[in-house]
Amino acid sequence: MGKKLKKEAEPPPKDVFDPLTIESKKAATVVLMLNSPEEEILAKACEAIYKFALKGEENKATLLELGAVEPLTKLLTHEDKIVKRNATMIFGILASNNDVKKLLRELDVMNSVIAQLAPEEEVVIHEFASLCLANMSAEYTSKVQIFEQGGLEPLIRLLSSPDPDVKKNSIECIYNLVQDFQCRATLQELNAVPPILDLLKSEFPVIQLLALKTLGVITNDKESRTMLRDNQGVDQLIKILEAKELNDLHIEALAVIANCLEDMDTMVMIQQTGGLKKLLTFAENSTIPDIQKNAAKAITKAAYDSENRKLFHEQEVEKCLVTLLGSENDGTKIAASQAISVMSENSASKEFFNTQGIPQLIQLLKSDNEEVREAAALALANLSTCNSANANAIAEADGIDPLINTLSSKRDGAIANAATVLTNMALQEPLRTAIQGHDVMRALHGPLRSANTVVQSKAALTVAATACDADARAELRNSGGLEPLVELLRSKNEEVRRHASWAVMVCAGDEPMAGELCRLGALEILEEINLSLSRKNKFSEAAYNKLLNSNLSLKYSQLGYLSSSNIISDGFYDYGRLLYFLQISPGTRLLPLKELCLQEPNDLRAILLINSKTSDISPPPSTEDKSSDIGYGRSISSSSSLRRASKERANYRFSTGLGSPTEEKPEPASGRNTSLSKSTVKEKGLRYVAEKMGGRIPRDKLHDFSWELHISELKFQLKSNVIPIGLVKKGIFYHRALLFKALADKIGIGCSLVRGEYGRAWNRVKLMNESSKGVIGVPPPPENYIVDLMFSPGTLMKLRSKDADLYRFL
């Protein structure tokens, strides 16, 4: 027998690839492996890419350039758990890169990532899927995708996860999502407040901080505040404030409490449990500026409610705020000033700050920080509104100078607030005088020229409050303040126009100011405003009338009416127009008398001048005097340039100075006698106006009364359109009515002048009618009469309201 031979091993099948171990040091090679059908290769490739991505942002950018993102998105739904887990981990890291985020949005992978939050998935998948969503949710478009694809509910569920990283990622993503109102509303429906409150008990500060920040956002809504209160959340917040070791959470906790204090029920609960007192004590004693600032902000938000203000006052919040004013931190000073501004709506608080608070606020007006000055000025503005005691306290604390200096601040709010304080103070005459002594009118120039409508409005109102006497108005005029004030009348802002009109009305209180305002175009602008139903206001109408009352010649030309309080003085002239026109048209500029005197005679109606002063010029020659060499000079004052005629008659009384229509001229009195009795008038005889102007003219002879020729002759003789009323010997209705008004004003009889149509004009006087019987012990009111100066001179016709229009054609 032969020796047994050893059996040879069978060779491997020819169609099977021998196992191969590959080591690669290039990321590009590994990225190519992501397309492999083998789970083991995919898992190892994903693991290698994860480690590579962890090393920094440059590696993430490299993976993006190599095209790793798209094949990785397909692995998120891979059947192999290890491959899916590793792919999810990669996206948790990669999603912090902005370019990767953009590509992920385009690839629409949000639904696949949210699916990884399912309860049956591993904790590590929850961790990195929530991390991916937290990174993605930092941008608005991704927030929308997460919300629309139902990501909020699983994130809320994961707040109860045993893994702290899952909690941290989930609450961070929720915090980003609830910046949107719609997400906040859904959060309430999902009852998210209890699990968020549970996070406050976490041992990890970052989780507590994110929970507080999330609560700070969602408690802006009333429903969330109610849920927080019902789940004893306020107590937890107060405990956080009481724990010194949690001082890194105090600022955010205060922010949440600030929101809760806006809710009246929560406020009452905090007050009843002693939490409010703890809060104020905490704020007052804290040495951390941000905590003090947030505490003051919390008080400010809550104090907008009147009931909350009462509760704060009961807890002596004013003392806390005054303490905070003394902080070295500007942010705290600002917040405390703003809280005082709101608390000043409470009258008791206003009274408290009179002695404690106002002096400190005035010191803040001197700060180099413009925001501090603005906040302090706001507090002073609110404290001094409708409170004379506080206005006086500001003056006593030497607040006028810093307030006026604040008018040149770089912040519009500071300027507007300071102007408001000055306006409030100026309502008291002693304080107004003190303010005027600090060159306030010059300081208001800048605010009046501001581009900010609030500043413009407040500055104009300050002018209206401080320009109440001639010296102040003169200072405003001399310093050039009228020009910007008049420009504000053109403003498109309703409040600016109203306050500017008010200021113009006040400034028009004397003739120099009124004249300057008219020169600057105020009258034309106001006239234009008042023609518009949408732009006019009661102050624009009052300002317009005030300007007209300071220039009666213009008023009569435009309105055709002078009241008994409009006293005609020397220099008044009836401008007239063409013979058949009632008055000058709106917008027409009335030339000054000096210019009118220099015009050559024309076919327009003569301009009638009132001047009772003795003049050194001669009267015109009579119509019988054919000498053309002797003319009537054009000068009506020593400053004009009239030709002079005949020196022998130099003391001719030029105008209404033709004597008195009464037997004795009454002594000047402080008041005007506007209600003479009817019998007194008759006892003194007919008025002699008609006699001086051609006498009685029968109605049927009116057309034969050649007054037009007489007036033309006067114009020719004077070489002027301006005719002194005293030279008119043949006068029609409007000549006689003007002379009657001028004489009545001289002797103190209340008389109005009304222009009618076709050369008509008449006078209304108020006289006592003895036949009228009033209430026992009370005299009857004076009645209106119209004086007949043409047909039956001296006759008084009783004017009834229903007959008023009849006299237009007398």
Side-chain angles (χ1 to χ4, degrees):
M1 288 182 59
K3 188 177 180 181
K4 284 186 177 180
L5 296 177
K6 186 177 181 182
K7 188 177 179 180
E8 295 182 3
E10 294 182 4
K14 295 180 179 180
D15 60 344
V16 176
F17 188 81
D18 294 337
L20 176 67
T21 300
I22 298 176
E23 292 185 5
S24 176
K25 295 184 178 180
K26 292 186 177 181
T29 303
V30 180
V31 169
L32 291 174
M33 294 168 63
L34 294 175
N35 294 310
S36 172
E38 297 186 44
E39 288 85 353
E40 185 177 355
I41 293 176
L42 290 174
K44 290 183 178 180
C46 287
E47 184 178 356
I49 290 173
Y50 170 73
K51 292 178 181 178
F52 182 71
L54 276 177
K55 294 180 180 179
E57 290 298 317
E58 291 184 2
N59 289 359
K60 296 174 186 177
T62 299
L63 290 170
L64 179 64
E65 292 174 3
L66 292 173
V69 174
E70 189 167 1
L72 280 170
T73 59
K74 299 175 182 177
L75 300 182
L76 284 173
T77 56
H78 201 280
E79 294 179 355
D80 186 84
K81 290 184 178 181
I82 297 177
V83 174
K84 183 171 68 173
R85 179 188 65 198
N86 290 352
T88 304
M89 291 171 65
I90 293 172
F91 278 117
I93 302 301
L94 285 181
S96 64
N97 182 278
N98 290 330
D99 293 327
V100 173
K101 290 179 188 176
K102 182 179 179 181
L103 181 57
L104 288 177
R105 288 195 299 270
E106 293 173 357
L107 295 174
D108 195 20
V109 297
M110 206 66 73
N111 196 40
S112 299
V113 177
I114 292 173
Q116 309 306 311
L117 302 180
E120 63 272 13
E121 296 292 348
E122 300 176 55
V123 170
V124 68
I125 290 182
H126 286 168
E127 176 186 347
F128 286 95
S130 60
L131 178 61
C132 176
L133 294 176
N135 286 329
M136 294 289 289
S137 64
E139 295 182 355
Y140 176 76
T141 305
S142 297
K143 288 180 192 177
V144 174
Q145 289 182 347
I146 294 171
F147 175 72
E148 290 180 348
Q149 296 185 28
L152 194 55
E153 185 174 4
L155 286 168
I156 293 172
R157 185 180 64 250
L158 290 180
L159 293 179
S160 303
S161 171
D163 186 86
D165 288 320
V166 175
K167 290 181 178 179
K168 182 263 178 188
N169 296 337
S170 299
I171 189 63
E172 183 177 0
C173 186
I174 291 171
Y175 171 69
N176 290 335
L177 291 175
V178 296
Q179 306 299 320
D180 180 73
F181 172 78
Q182 192 173 4
C183 288
R184 293 202 298 272
T186 304
L187 200 74
Q188 295 161 11
E189 297 172 3
L190 297 173
N191 196 30
V193 171
I196 295 175
L197 283 173
D198 285 340
L199 297 182
L200 296 180
K201 302 172 186 177
S202 172
E203 57 181 312
F204 298 96
V206 65
I207 294 177
Q208 293 175 308
L209 188 63
L210 285 168
L212 285 171
K213 285 186 173 181
T214 304
L215 290 172
V217 175
I218 66 176
T219 51
N220 283 306
D221 303 326
K222 185 176 181 180
E223 292 78 7
S224 293
R225 291 197 295 266
T226 302
M227 293 175 68
L228 184 135
R229 184 185 70 238
D230 294 343
N231 286 275
Q232 290 74 47
V234 178
D235 292 339
Q236 287 184 252
L237 295 170
I238 295 293
K239 288 178 181 178
I240 290 175
L241 293 181
E242 291 177 326
K244 294 183 179 180
E245 66 275 12
L246 298 179
N247 58 6
D248 56 329
L249 303 176
H250 287 171
I251 294 174
E252 281 70 25
L254 274 173
V256 181
I257 291 176
N259 291 340
C260 293
L261 291 178
E262 292 185 56
D263 184 73
M264 186 59 195
D265 293 333
T266 306
M267 178 75 166
V268 171
M269 185 195 75
I270 295 175
Q271 192 264 346
Q272 290 175 346
T273 57
L276 188 57
K277 190 68 176 178
K278 291 179 183 178
L279 174 64
L280 298 178
T281 303
F282 170 78
E284 193 170 351
N285 297 332
S286 176
T287 57
I288 302 175
D290 282 345
I291 289 177
Q292 291 184 320
K293 178 179 69 176
N294 281 20
K297 286 183 176 180
I299 294 169
T300 302
K301 292 184 72 173
Y304 280 109
D305 182 89
S306 60
E307 294 300 320
N308 287 351
R309 289 195 294 270
K310 292 179 182 178
L311 292 177
F312 275 135
H313 177 67
E314 292 172 3
Q315 299 295 324
E316 298 182 321
V317 71
E318 298 87 356
K319 291 182 179 179
C320 173
L321 294 176
V322 171
T323 300
L324 296 183
L325 285 179
S327 169
E328 295 182 0
N329 180 267
D330 285 345
T332 302
K333 294 174 183 176
I334 293 169
S337 299
Q338 291 170 339
I340 290 174
S341 300
V342 181
M343 282 301 300
S344 64
E345 294 293 323
N346 182 281
S347 57
S349 297
K350 246 181 186 176
E351 185 178 345
F352 177 92
F353 291 122
N354 180 269
T355 55
Q356 301 180 57
I358 285 179
Q360 291 88 334
L361 289 168
I362 289 173
Q363 289 303 312
L364 296 186
L365 287 179
K366 303 173 185 178
S367 171
D368 294 332
N369 188 312
E370 295 282 355
E371 290 186 56
V372 172
R373 297 172 71 189
E374 178 179 353
L378 175 62
L380 291 171
N382 290 348
L383 287 171
S384 59
T385 298
C386 302
N387 193 298
S388 58
N390 283 350
N392 278 308
I394 294 172
E396 290 170 2
D398 298 325
I400 295 177
D401 261 342
L403 283 168
I404 290 179
N405 291 337
T406 305
L407 293 177
S408 59
S409 171
K410 296 178 181 178
R411 292 182 68 86
D412 290 335
I415 299 171
N417 295 335
T420 300
V421 181
L422 292 170
T423 301
N424 293 340
M425 296 174 69
L427 297 178
Q428 301 179 60
E429 186 175 355
L431 299 186
R432 182 170 66 247
T433 303
I435 292 171
Q436 291 167 349
H438 287 74
D439 204 16
V440 66
M441 294 304 181
R442 192 174 300 277
L444 285 169
H445 282 196
L448 288 173
R449 297 179 187 274
S450 171
N452 184 290
T453 55
V454 175
V455 174
Q456 293 172 350
S457 172
K458 301 299 183 184
L461 196 57
T462 305
V463 171
T466 54
C468 296
D469 56 69
D471 291 340
R473 292 192 288 267
E475 182 186 348
L476 181 67
R477 182 182 72 248
N478 295 335
S479 60
L482 290 183
E483 184 176 356
L485 181 62
V486 171
E487 281 302 308
L488 293 185
L489 293 174
R490 304 181 189 273
S491 174
K492 295 180 180 179
N493 183 278
E494 182 179 357
E495 187 176 84
V496 173
R497 284 199 311 273
R498 183 169 63 250
H499 288 171
S501 299
W502 191 349
V504 168
M505 179 187 73
V506 173
C507 290
D510 50 59
E511 287 191 17
M513 287 289 284
E516 182 66 8
L517 287 167
C518 289
R519 187 188 69 79
L520 293 171
L523 198 63
E524 289 82 357
I525 300 172
L526 287 168
E527 182 180 36
E528 180 186 353
I529 291 174
N530 292 333
L531 289 175
S532 169
L533 294 177
S534 60
R535 298 179 63 208
K536 72 175 181 179
N537 56 76
K538 62 180 181 180
F539 290 113
S540 67
E541 294 174 333
Y544 180 73
N545 291 329
K546 192 75 173 285
L547 284 175
L548 285 181
N549 285 336
S550 67
N551 190 335
L552 295 183
S553 299
L554 179 60
K555 179 176 183 178
Y556 189 52
S557 295
Q558 288 204 348
L559 303 184
Y561 174 78
L562 294 179
S563 69
S564 58
S565 62
N566 297 142
I567 309 303
I568 289 180
S569 58
D570 292 340
F572 174 89
Y573 58 100
D574 179 2
Y575 184 73
R577 283 287 281 176
L578 291 172
L579 184 58
Y580 298 108
F581 279 75
L582 293 179
Q583 56 204 47
I584 64 174
S585 58
T588 302
R589 178 173 175 262
L590 184 64
L591 296 176
L593 184 60
K594 188 174 182 179
E595 290 186 34
L596 293 172
C597 289
L598 297 176
Q599 291 180 346
E600 294 295 326
N602 53 41
D603 59 350
L604 296 179
R605 197 172 76 175
I607 298 165
L608 301 176
L609 172 65
I610 300 295
N611 186 7
S612 62
K613 295 179 181 178
T614 301
S615 173
D616 59 356
I617 57 177
S618 302
S622 65
T623 53
E624 289 79 15
D625 188 351
K626 302 299 182 181
S627 172
S628 60
D629 296 331
I630 301 178
Y632 189 75
R634 295 190 183 185
S635 175
I636 28 189
S637 68
S638 58
S639 63
S640 42
S641 58
L642 280 176
R643 303 181 188 88
R644 299 179 185 269
S646 187
K647 298 287 183 181
E648 305 90 43
R649 303 165 77 183
N651 289 327
Y652 173 71
R653 185 167 288 284
F654 171 35
S655 74
T656 62
L658 302 173
S660 171
T662 59
E663 296 177 1
E664 293 183 2
K665 188 170 183 177
E667 293 295 324
S670 58
R672 290 178 54 79
N673 181 9
T674 59
S675 58
L676 296 177
S677 70
K678 189 174 179 181
S679 61
T680 301
V681 174
K682 290 193 173 182
E683 286 173 5
K684 293 185 177 182
L686 300 178
R687 310 273 176 183
Y688 77 155
V689 169
E691 178 186 341
K692 295 297 180 181
M693 292 209 167
R696 173 180 176 275
I697 310 296
R699 290 180 185 271
D700 57 349
K701 300 295 183 181
L702 186 60
H703 61 281
D704 295 329
F705 185 56
S706 58
W707 63 273
E708 296 97 332
L709 178 60
H710 170 64
I711 297 298
S712 297
E713 289 175 344
L714 287 175
K715 289 168 66 174
F716 176 76
Q717 292 163 4
L718 296 173
K719 300 295 189 290
S720 173
N721 282 325
V722 180
I723 299 177
I725 193 71
L727 299 183
V728 178
K729 304 304 179 185
K730 288 186 176 182
I732 195 67
F733 297 95
Y734 71 89
H735 301 101
R736 300 183 183 206
L738 175 59
L739 179 56
F740 186 89
K741 166 69 173 169
L743 290 172
D745 287 346
K746 290 289 182 183
I747 63 177
I749 295 179
C751 173
S752 64
L753 176 62
V754 185
R755 192 201 309 275
E757 298 177 357
Y758 303 105
R760 263 57 170 181
W762 60 90
N763 306 104
R764 293 176 183 170
V765 294
K766 281 191 174 182
L767 301 174
M768 299 296 297
N769 190 342
E770 290 83 351
S771 63
S772 299
K773 294 182 179 180
V775 181
I776 297 176
V778 180
E783 297 179 344
N784 280 315
Y785 290 87
I786 288 183
V787 182
D788 186 348
L789 299 173
M790 287 292 295
F791 311 123
S792 301
T795 302
L796 299 177
M797 294 172 285
K798 186 175 179 181
L799 176 66
R800 295 175 295 179
S801 58
K802 66 178 183 178
D803 297 331
D805 288 341
L806 297 177
Y807 297 103
R808 297 171 61 200
F809 297 97
L810 281 174

